[in-house]
């Protein structure tokens, strides 16, 4: 994939669009995730007693960081990077963006945990929410944190300092 992508030639207008569009979509995603967090936390006395809302809270929390990171688009890329429109960052901002962008993988893991939650609620011998909370929920959250572990492991390996593709 990276070989095919890196050989593509983008015009200035295309590079500009590839840089600007994520600012809009990232902002919309952050707003959506923050709305979900607000909705859960404004009625936390009722909602946080249910595993469903705690799983959704975890998913939305990490999605805020991932969406903000992706919404930054090319801004965190080191200033002066050839062929990259809007690059005004440093190596450190690029590394931070890579770390937080990696957290986008938490959302599909939590989505899988929501599917597991519904499977436990209604398949064959349905479990109560209390049984799911006491027997399975801690494993659900632990499983959803696997991408966080990989994101942290990428820091000392300096995996976030180079995007193996070029916007040329």
């Amino acid at each position: 994939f990276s070989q095919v992508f890196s050989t593509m030639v983008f015009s200035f207008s295309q590079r500009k669009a590839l840089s600007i569009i994520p600012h809009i979509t990232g902002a919309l995603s952050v707003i959506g995730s923050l709305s979900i967090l607000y909705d859960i936390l404004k009625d936390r006395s009722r909602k946080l007693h249910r595993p469903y809302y705690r799983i959704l809270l975890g998913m939305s929390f990490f999605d805020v960081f991932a969406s903000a990171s992706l919404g930054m688009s090319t801004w965190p890329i080191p200033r002066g990077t050839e062929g990259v429109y809007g690059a005004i960052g440093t190596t450190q901002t690029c590394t931070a963006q890579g770390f937080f962008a990696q957290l986008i993988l938490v959302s599909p893991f939590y989505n899988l945990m929501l599917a597991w939650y519904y499977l436990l609620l209604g398949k064959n011998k349905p479990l109560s929410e209390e049984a799911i909370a006491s027997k399975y929920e801690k494993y659900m959250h632990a499983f959803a944190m696997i991408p966080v572990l990989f994101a942290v492991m990428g820091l000392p390996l300096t995996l976030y300092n180079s995007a193996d593709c070029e916007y040329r």
Side-chain angles (χ1 to χ4, degrees), residues 1-68:
F1 174 75
S2 64
Q3 290 176 339
V4 172
F5 191 72
S6 66
T7 60
M8 291 181 176
V9 178
F10 293 100
S11 69
F12 176 76
S13 297
Q14 290 170 323
R15 289 193 314 262
K16 191 174 181 179
L18 286 169
S19 173
I20 293 172
I21 291 171
H23 298 308
I24 298 163
T25 58
L28 292 173
S29 183
V30 168
I31 290 168
S33 296
L34 287 173
S35 297
I36 293 169
L37 289 172
Y38 175 77
D39 185 59
I40 294 170
L41 294 175
K42 77 175 181 185
D43 194 12
R44 68 180 147 266
S45 62
R46 183 176 64 87
K47 291 185 176 178
L48 289 180
H49 290 292
R50 297 186 55 205
Y52 166 80
Y53 287 109
R54 292 191 295 265
I55 293 169
L56 192 60
L57 183 78
M59 182 179 356
S60 297
F61 175 80
F62 283 98
D63 196 47
V64 167
F65 292 105
S67 297

